[in-house]
C-alpha cells in the first residue's frame, strides 16, 4: 500500500499499474545485472 | 520551480536517468553520457520551452496561455535563482559529458548542438520572442 | 516555523501560528509522484490523440480544426489526468443539512470516475468535518428553521427585483440594522451572494490611479474584484507585515509608475481567516500600518465572522480592537449563520455611497426573505437577543473544540498549519495519491472530510482541511481523532518532527 501511495500509482488503472511495475522492475533488474557484471 | 526540494528532485532525476542508462548492458560509457545529455536537454526543451500555458485553469483570464513555462517562471522576472540554476545544470552536464566522451569529435558536436537548443531560449533577449 | 505574538504592545493575547516545513524526503517523493502521474497523463493523451483510447470529453469536429481552438486542451491536462482519477472524494451528494452529522448518497463508478451511479443506498450518520458550519446553525429544526418557514409563507421565496427598485423589503432593512449593531459600526448593506459582495463592490470603491495591496493568498473573489476595478495591484507575502510595510513605503515614496503622482487611494485587502492555511490575519499590525501610512483597510471576514472572538464578532473582537479602525468590513452569512450572502459594513457615507454605486444594488436581485430570516434569527441568537445563551455557548464551544482538536492532532504527530485558534484545521498529506486515499479511507470509516491538492495548493502542500463546528460534541471529535490517527498510521501521514507530548 505504501509503495502504491508513494509512487502515486495508487490512482492509476490496473493496466497502467502493470505497465509501471514492469518498467520499474526491468530497470531494477538491469541495474542489478550490470552492477554485478561491473563489480 | 523554487519550492522546497524541487532542485534536489531535479538533480536526483538526472542521476536516476543516468543510472538506468548506465545499466543498459551493451551501451558504452561515452554513449551513456551522451544519451543522458540528449534526453535531459530534450525533456528540458519540451517542458520549459515548447509547451505553452498551464496544465490547469488559472484565474488570470488566459494571460499565461501563450507563454512557455520558462517565460511564466517567477512572473517573468529575469536572473532569478531558479533561472540561474536551470541555466547552469545543462552546462555542467555538458562539461561532464565532454569529459567522459574523451572529447571525441562526433559526441562533441552532438552534445554542443543539444546544449545550444536549451541555452538559446533561456536568453533574456528572447523572452516572449516567437 | 512557529511565530509567537508580534510586537507585545499590539496583541492582547498570544498569537501562535505554525507552518512546519515539508520534510525534504517527502518533498522529493511528492515531486516523483507528480512526475509519474504526469508521464502517464501524457501517455493517455497520446492514446486518445491516436484514437487508441476513446475520448469522452468535448472536442472540436475535424472540420473545425482550423478555427481557434474552443477547448483549451492543455489547460485541462490536470483535470483529465489527475483530478479525474480521484474525484470520487469530491462533490459528494448529501441528503440534508450539512450539520455535525449527515447522510451521504452512496455512489459508485464502473469507469474510473468518468461517470457515477447511485447504488440507491444511503450512508447514514457520516461525521461531517468538511462543511463550513462553525456555529452549528445548519440545522433543519429549531428556532431558525421555524422562523424561516414562517417567513416563507408570509413573503414567499423569490424577490425578483433589485434593492434599488421594488426588491427592497422591510426585512432587508431590519437585517442590515442588526448587522451594523452586531458589528458595532454605523451602517451595513447585505448582498445575496458572498463572492459577489467582493467582486462587485471593490470596483465601486477603487479604480484607476488607486493601489490595492493584496495578500498573496486572498480569495478568488477579492482577486476578481481587484482586477475588475482597474486599480494597480501589488501582492505582499502571506500575513507578512514586513512585506506589506515595504510595499506601503514604496507606494508612498515612489507614487504611481512613470508619472510618480501620489496614489489617489491605497487599499489594503486582507482576510480575517485564510481558510486554506488556517491562519488568522495579524490585524493589530495591519491597523497600525494603515494608520501610519494613511491607507484604507478592507477586511474580508468570510470565515472569521461568528467564528472568532469572545462574542463571535469576528477577528476585530478576537484581538479586542475598535471596529471603526477598519474602513470596510466585509463578511458572509454562509459559514457561521447557516445562510448565504454577504455584507459590507462601515461608515454611513460609505454604505450610502455603495447603495447608489454598487453593481449588486443596481442589478442583482435581493436576498430571499427566508435566508434573511435565517440570518436575523441566528444573529439574534449569537447576540443573546433571543433571551437564551445558546449563541454564547456555541461561540465558546467552538473555541474550546478548536484548541482541543488542534492540540490532539499535533500530539498524534500530524503536521497542522495555521493559528491555534482557527477553526479551519489544514492537515498536510503531501503526496498526490494520499489525497484520494485519505478521502476514501475516511469515508470507509464514516467520516466526511475535504481534501485539497495542486493547483489549489502549492504542489508539495496537499492537505486535508477539517472544519470544526460548535455542533461537534466531544465524543464526535474523539471519534474523529481516533479514526484520523488510524488512517494516519495506515497511510503514514504522521510526518511532524515537532510532535508534542500529550
Amino acid at each position: 500500500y505504501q509503495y502504491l501511495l508513494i509512487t502515486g500509482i495508487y490512482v492509476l488503472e490496473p493496466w497502467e499499474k502493470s505497465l509501471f511495475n514492469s518498467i520499474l522492475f526491468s530497470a531494477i533488474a538491469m541495474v542489478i545485472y550490470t552492477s554485478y557484471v561491473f563489480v | 520551480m523554487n519550492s522546497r526540494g524541487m532542485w534536489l528532485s531535479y538533480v536526483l532525476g538526472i542521476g536516476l536517468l543516468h543510472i538506468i542508462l548506465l545499466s543498459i548492458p551493451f551501451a558504452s560509457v561515452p554513449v551513456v553520457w551522451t544519451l543522458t545529455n540528449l534526453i535531459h536537454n530534450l525533456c528540458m526543451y519540451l517542458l520549459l520551452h515548447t509547451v505553452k500555458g498551464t496544465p490547469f485553469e488559472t484565474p488570470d483570464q488566459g494571460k499565461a496561455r501563450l507563454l512557455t513555462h520558462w517565460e511564466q517562471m517567477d512572473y517573468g522576472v529575469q536572473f532569478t535563482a531558479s533561472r540561474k540554476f536551470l541555466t547552469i545544470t545543462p552546462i555542467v552536464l555538458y562539461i561532464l559529458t565532454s569529459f567522459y566522451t574523451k572529447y571525441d569529435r562526433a559526441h562533441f558536436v552532438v552534445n554542443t548542438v543539444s546544449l545550444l537548443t536549451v541555452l538559446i531560449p533561456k536568453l533574456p533577449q528572447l523572452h516572449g520572442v516567437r | 516555523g512557529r511565530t509567537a505574538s508580534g510586537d507585545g504592545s499590539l496583541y492582547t493575547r498570544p498569537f501562535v501560528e505554525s507552518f512546519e516545513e515539508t520534510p525534504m524526503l517527502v518533498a522529493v517523493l511528492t515531486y516523483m509522484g507528480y512526475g509519474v502521474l504526469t508521464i502517464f497523463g501524457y501517455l493517455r493523451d497520446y492514446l486518445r490523440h491516436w484514437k487508441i483510447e476513446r475520448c469522452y470529453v468535448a472536442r472540436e469536429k475535424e472540420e473545425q480544426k482550423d478555427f481557434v481552438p474552443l477547448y483549451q486542451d492543455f489547460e485541462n491536462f490536470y483535470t483529465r489526468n489527475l483530478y479525474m482519477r480521484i474525484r470520487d472524494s469530491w462533490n459528494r451528494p448529501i441528503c440534508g443539512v450539512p450539520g455535525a452529522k449527515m447522510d451521504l448518497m452512496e455512489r459508485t463508478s464502473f469507469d474510473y470516475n468518468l461517470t457515477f451511479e447511485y447504488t440507491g443506498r444511503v450512508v447514514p450518520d457520516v461525521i461531517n468535518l468538511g462543511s463550513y458550519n462553525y456555529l452549528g446553525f445548519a440545522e433543519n429544526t429549531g428556532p431558525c428553521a421555524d422562523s424561516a418557514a414562517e417567513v416563507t409563507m408570509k413573503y414567499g421565496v423569490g424577490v425578483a427585483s433589485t434593492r434599488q427598485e421594488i426588491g427592497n423589503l422591510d426585512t432587508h432593512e431590519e437585517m442590515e440594522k442588526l448587522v451594523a449593531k452586531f458589528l458595532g459600526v454605523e451602517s451595513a448593506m447585505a448582498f445575496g451572494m458572498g463572492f459577489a459582495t467582493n467582486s462587485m463592490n471593490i470596483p465601486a470603491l477603487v479604480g484607476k490611479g488607486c493601489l490595492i495591496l493584496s495578500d498573496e493568498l486572498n480569495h478568488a473573489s477579492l482577486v476578481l474584484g481587484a482586477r475588475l476595478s482597474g486599480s494597480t495591484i501589488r501582492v505582499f507575502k502571506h500575513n507578512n507585515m514586513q512585506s506589506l510595510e515595504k510595499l506601503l513605503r514604496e507606494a508612498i515614496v515612489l507614487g504611481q509608475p512613470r508619472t510618480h503622482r501620489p496614489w489617489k487611494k491605497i487599499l489594503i485587502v486582507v482576510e480575517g481567516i485564510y481558510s486554506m492555511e488556517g491562519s488568522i490575519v495579524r490585524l493589530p499590525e495591519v491597523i497600525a500600518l494603515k494608520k501610519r501610512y494613511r491607507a484604507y483597510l478592507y477586511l474580508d471576514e468570510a470565515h472569521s465572522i461568528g467564528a472568532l472572538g469572545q462574542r463571535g464578532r469576528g477577528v476585530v473582537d478576537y484581538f479586542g480592537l475598535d471596529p471603526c479602525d477598519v474602513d470596510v468590513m466585509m463578511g458572509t452569512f454562509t459559514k457561521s449563520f447557516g445562510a448565504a450572502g454577504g455584507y459590507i459594513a462601515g461608515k454611513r457615507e460609505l454604505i450610502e455611497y455603495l447603495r447608489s454605486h454598487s453593481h449588486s444594488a443596481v442589478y442583482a436581485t435581493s436576498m430571499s426573505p427566508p435566508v434573511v430570516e435565517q440570518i436575523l434569527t441566528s444573529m439574534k441568537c449569537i447576540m443573546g437577543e433571543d433571551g437564551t445563551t445558546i449563541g454564547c455557548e456555541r461561540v465558546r464551544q467552538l473555541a474550546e473544540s478548536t484548541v482541543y482538536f488542534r492540540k490532539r492532532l499535533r500530539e498524534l504527530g500530524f503536521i497542522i498549519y495555521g493559528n491555534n485558534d482557527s477553526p479551519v484545521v489544514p492537515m498536510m498529506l503531501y503526496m498526490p495519491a494520499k489525497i484520494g486515499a485519505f478521502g476514501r479511507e475516511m469515508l470507509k470509516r464514516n467520516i466526511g472530510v475535504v481534501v485539497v491538492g495542486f493547483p489549489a495548493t502549492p504542489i508539495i502542500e496537499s492537505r486535508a482541511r477539517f472544519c470544526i463546528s460548535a455542533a461537534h460534541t466531544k465524543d464526535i471529535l474523539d471519534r474523529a481523532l481516533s479514526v484520523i490517527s488510524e488512517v494516519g498510521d495506515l497511510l503514514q501521514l504522521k510526518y511532524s518532527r515537532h510532535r508534542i507530548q500529550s
Side-chain angles (χ1 to χ4, degrees):
Chain A
Y1 200 19
Q2 276 307 308
Y3 164 73
L4 293 180
L5 288 171
I6 288 177
T7 53
I9 63 175
Y10 166 85
V11 302
L12 297 183
E13 295 173 22
W15 68 271
E16 291 172 309
K17 282 185 185 132
S18 317
L19 178 62
F20 177 85
N21 289 329
S22 47
I23 292 172
L24 181 69
F25 293 130
S26 51
I28 290 174
M30 248 179 20
V31 169
I32 291 171
Y33 169 74
T34 311
S35 316
Y36 171 74
V37 166
F38 182 74
V39 170
Chain B
M1 292 308 274
N2 47 20
S3 68
R4 181 175 164 74
M6 175 60 90
W7 294 8
L8 174 61
S9 308
Y10 170 72
V11 171
L12 289 178
I14 298 176
L16 189 67
L17 169 70
H18 185 65
I19 286 175
I20 290 176
L21 291 173
L22 210 54
S23 314
I24 299 171
F26 47 81
S28 68
V29 172
V31 168
V32 166
W33 273 99
T34 295
L35 274 178
T36 307
N37 188 43
L38 292 182
I39 294 171
H40 166 265
N41 290 342
L42 179 66
C43 294
M44 176 176 262
Y45 183 76
L46 289 176
L47 290 177
L48 285 188
H49 303 297
T50 307
V51 173
K52 291 187 184 68
T54 51
F56 48 83
E57 296 200 9
T58 49
D60 64 357
Q61 282 88 35
K63 204 183 299 172
R65 201 170 281 164
L66 300 177
L67 297 176
T68 61
H69 190 170
W70 177 260
E71 289 160 347
Q72 294 174 46
M73 236 159 61
D74 299 316
Y75 304 103
V77 175
Q78 298 297 326
F79 304 115
T80 57
S82 308
R83 288 174 186 266
K84 290 173 189 169
F85 173 75
L86 290 169
T87 306
I88 288 169
T89 33
I91 295 170
V92 169
L93 191 60
Y94 170 74
I95 291 169
L96 284 172
T97 306
S98 303
F99 171 74
Y100 279 104
T101 53
K102 298 182 177 55
Y103 304 101
D104 168 76
R105 185 190 305 273
H107 286 278
F108 186 74
V109 169
V110 169
N111 289 317
T112 306
V113 169
S114 168
L115 174 71
L116 291 177
T117 61
V118 290
L119 277 194
I120 291 173
K122 291 187 167 63
L123 295 173
Q125 295 78 0
L126 294 183
H127 182 84
V129 170
R130 294 288 180 265
Chain C
R2 299 174 68 85
T3 55
S5 68
D7 172 5
S9 60
L10 289 175
Y11 289 82
T12 55
R13 60 183 308 144
F15 183 88
V16 181
E17 211 160 78
S18 71
F19 297 93
E20 188 173 339
E21 255 191 347
T22 308
M24 187 57 90
L25 173 64
V26 173
V28 173
L29 293 177
T30 303
Y31 291 124
M32 186 193 74
Y34 276 103
V36 167
L37 296 180
T38 303
I39 290 169
F40 274 94
Y42 275 113
L43 172 69
R44 297 296 291 269
D45 279 358
Y46 177 83
L47 297 179
R48 287 184 200 112
H49 181 74
W50 293 104
K51 308 260 187 300
I52 299 167
E53 179 190 344
R54 218 164 92 71
C55 175
Y56 299 95
V57 293
R59 296 171 82 98
E60 288 97 348
K61 296 190 190 72
E62 283 311 315
E63 307 79 47
Q64 292 170 330
K65 285 289 183 199
D66 300 336
F67 291 93
V68 170
L70 281 177
Y71 304 99
Q72 285 306 329
D73 217 17
F74 187 58
E75 232 167 38
N76 298 322
F77 182 88
Y78 263 83
T79 304
R80 74 174 168 261
N81 293 310
L82 228 86
Y83 171 66
M84 186 70 90
R85 298 176 188 276
I86 53 177
R87 70 173 184 164
D88 53 293
S89 299
W90 277 267
N91 307 317
R92 287 174 175 153
I94 67 175
C95 308
V97 288
K101 291 195 173 186
M102 60 189 172
D103 296 346
L104 281 189
M105 293 282 283
E106 190 182 57
R107 63 182 183 182
T108 182
S109 172
F110 300 103
D111 46 15
Y112 303 106
N113 295 341
L114 192 69
T115 59
F116 291 101
E117 288 173 23
Y118 288 126
T119 59
R121 286 188 294 274
V122 169
V123 183
D125 277 349
V126 175
I127 293 179
N128 182 3
L129 285 180
S131 297
Y132 296 136
N133 174 28
Y134 297 126
L135 295 180
F137 283 110
E139 46 197 2
N140 52 13
T141 57
C144 293
D146 300 341
S147 56
E150 208 176 295
V151 163
T152 305
M153 303 312 286
K154 183 178 170 192
Y155 283 89
V157 290
V159 182
S161 179
T162 70
R163 295 296 303 276
Q164 287 197 354
E165 289 163 18
I166 59 173
N168 193 33
L169 307 181
D170 56 349
T171 185
H172 290 134
E173 299 196 347
E174 181 195 350
M175 186 259 282
E176 288 175 346
K177 285 194 184 72
L178 185 69
V179 170
K181 185 178 170 196
F182 180 74
L183 293 167
V185 291
E186 290 176 17
S187 181
M189 180 176 182
F191 303 91
M193 180 183 175
F195 191 102
T197 306
N198 282 331
S199 59
M200 294 295 119
N201 287 305
I202 291 178
L205 297 173
V206 287
K208 281 218 174 313
C210 299
L211 174 68
I212 291 180
L213 300 179
S214 172
D215 188 298
E216 69 180 332
L217 298 182
N218 269 347
H219 188 261
S221 57
L222 293 169
V223 173
L224 180 58
R227 286 204 174 121
L228 286 175
S229 68
S231 315
T232 303
I233 301 164
R234 289 194 185 142
V235 173
F236 61 90
K237 291 188 185 64
H238 174 54
N239 230 3
N240 185 317
M241 295 304 119
Q242 289 71 30
S243 170
L244 173 57
E245 179 160 19
K246 182 168 169 285
L247 288 180
L248 274 166
R249 294 175 72 86
E250 275 173 18
I252 305 277
V253 168
L254 300 177
Q256 297 190 39
R258 209 166 38 79
T259 61
H260 295 295
R261 279 199 207 101
W263 294 101
K264 287 182 197 156
K265 286 177 217 162
I266 297 177
L267 183 67
I268 300 169
V269 180
V270 290
E271 287 182 36
I273 287 182
Y274 289 87
S275 63
M276 205 55 88
E277 302 301 306
S279 53
I280 295 176
V281 66
R282 294 167 176 278
L283 194 61
E285 297 179 61
V286 174
I287 287 179
L289 284 174
K290 88 161 256 253
K291 286 180 175 173
R292 180 172 181 186
Y293 292 99
R294 303 234 191 312
Y296 293 103
L297 176 56
Y298 185 107
L299 176 64
D300 174 346
E301 293 212 69
H303 287 268
S304 52
I305 191 69
L308 277 185
Q310 304 285 340
R311 302 167 300 136
R313 273 20 176 220
V315 69
V316 177
D317 181 24
Y318 173 74
F319 287 113
L321 298 167
D322 177 3
C324 297
D325 287 337
V326 179
D327 299 286
V328 188
M329 299 266 277
M330 180 270 167
T332 61
F333 303 113
T334 320
K335 288 102 179 169
S336 291
F337 302 89
Y343 67 83
I344 282 197
K347 297 240 176 323
R348 182 170 310 287
E349 302 84 41
L350 169 73
I351 302 306
E352 293 318 314
Y353 173 81
L354 283 179
R355 280 194 205 287
S356 51
H357 288 76
S358 162
H359 180 284
S360 293
V362 180
Y363 298 108
T365 53
S366 338
M367 213 186 248
S368 166
V371 175
V372 176
E373 190 58 26
Q374 168 78 20
I375 296 165
L376 279 167
T377 319
S378 52
M379 199 168 270
K380 283 175 181 163
C381 182
I382 297 170
M383 296 167 82
E385 290 193 357
D386 61 345
T388 69
T389 58
I390 296 172
C392 303
E393 278 158 25
R394 289 190 180 188
V395 170
R396 190 181 44 74
Q397 175 68 45
L398 175 66
E400 279 175 16
S401 302
T402 297
V403 172
Y404 171 72
F405 194 77
R406 280 178 166 271
K407 191 161 82 59
R408 293 283 288 104
L409 280 181
R410 275 221 181 78
E411 285 164 7
L412 290 169
F414 295 105
I415 292 185
I416 306 296
Y417 270 11
N419 195 297
N420 275 1
D421 294 325
S422 159
V424 187
V425 187
M427 184 188 101
M428 307 314 285
L429 302 176
Y430 297 117
M431 292 167 210
K434 295 191 178 182
I435 303 172
F438 188 74
R440 291 170 187 164
E441 293 294 342
M442 291 297 282
L443 185 61
K444 265 188 219 165
R445 296 161 174 83
N446 238 39
I447 294 192
V449 295
V450 159
V451 285
V452 195
F454 184 76
T457 63
I459 194 164
I460 55 167
E461 294 183 8
S462 304
R463 61 196 73 175
R465 200 182 50 187
F466 304 121
C467 292
I468 309 300
S469 166
H472 289 140
T473 62
K474 188 157 185 315
D475 297 341
I476 288 179
L477 291 180
D478 286 337
R479 159 95 185 119
L481 285 163
S482 68
V483 167
I484 292 168
S485 180
E486 181 190 335
V487 172
D489 288 329
L490 177 68
L491 304 185
Q492 309 274 310
L493 294 173
K494 300 182 175 179
Y495 297 115
S496 177
R497 291 152 292 182
H498 308 312
R499 178 179 300 212
I500 55 177
Q501 298 314 318
S502 51

